[in-house]
Amino acid sequence: MKSSKSFSRAAHCRTSASTVASSLLTVETSGPGFVDLTREIASFVKETGATEGVVTLFVRHTSASLTVQENADPSVLDDLTTALDRLAPEHAGWTHDTEGPDDMPAHVKSLLTTTSLQVPILEGKLALGTWQAIYLIEHRLRPRRREIVLQFIGASGSN
């Protein structure tokens, strides 16, 4: 059986990556859940004068993580929280519990998601899809202060 395929690709853009800009974003969480970082990241990209390149995010914690997910329907984030809780329940007989019963499940949830992301920058903007947003996921029960390293590498208007 033959399947039909259709592809198209925009012309490539070639630039010289002569700008590296870094910043530390501090986020105060209110407990478990998703914190939308998209606006903050877009602001950082704009401040760098970025035109083409990539922005990297790295969360400096082992019990929180990052993701790109849907931003249109909040029930998606609720369902993802439920799924992570099912995959790493609090009372599953974990041996690591020095910091409380929510610590080891938070480590597992971080392992299942990711601690770093890269998002392309095209024409000075995050190359996210229509319904995509960048989120910090807090896996611990109590509010926390989280640090995320931001770094843009690419070409900027100030080159």
Side-chain angles (χ1 to χ4, degrees), residues 38-130:
T38 312
R39 197 171 281 205
E40 287 296 324
I41 306 310
S43 177
F44 166 72
V45 168
K46 184 177 180 180
E47 289 167 12
T48 66
T51 55
E52 304 290 326
V54 65
V55 64
T56 299
L57 296 78
F58 177 76
V59 63
R60 294 172 19 155
H61 305 277
T62 59
S63 57
S65 56
L66 299 165
T67 191
V68 172
Q69 258 313 323
E70 179 176 327
N71 66 355
D73 182 351
S75 68
V76 170
L77 303 179
D78 293 338
D79 287 344
L80 289 171
T81 299
T82 299
L84 287 171
D85 288 343
R86 287 179 182 162
L87 291 169
E90 190 173 308
H91 300 288
W94 308 108
T95 56
H96 172 71
D97 63 359
T98 352
E99 295 180 48
D102 68 326
D103 191 37
M104 191 58 213
H107 291 306
V108 174
K109 293 170 186 177
S110 180
L111 172 79
L112 292 171
T113 50
T114 190
T115 56
S116 68
L117 292 174
Q118 285 190 322
V119 179
I121 305 302
L122 299 175
E123 298 178 3
K125 298 191 181 336
L126 296 168
L128 294 170
T130 303

Side-chain angles (χ1 to χ4, degrees), residues 1-15:
M1 183 160 118
K2 187 176 181 181
S3 67
S4 63
K5 296 180 183 175
S6 175
F7 299 97
S8 67
R9 185 169 53 89
H12 70 273
C13 172
R14 183 172 295 212
T15 61

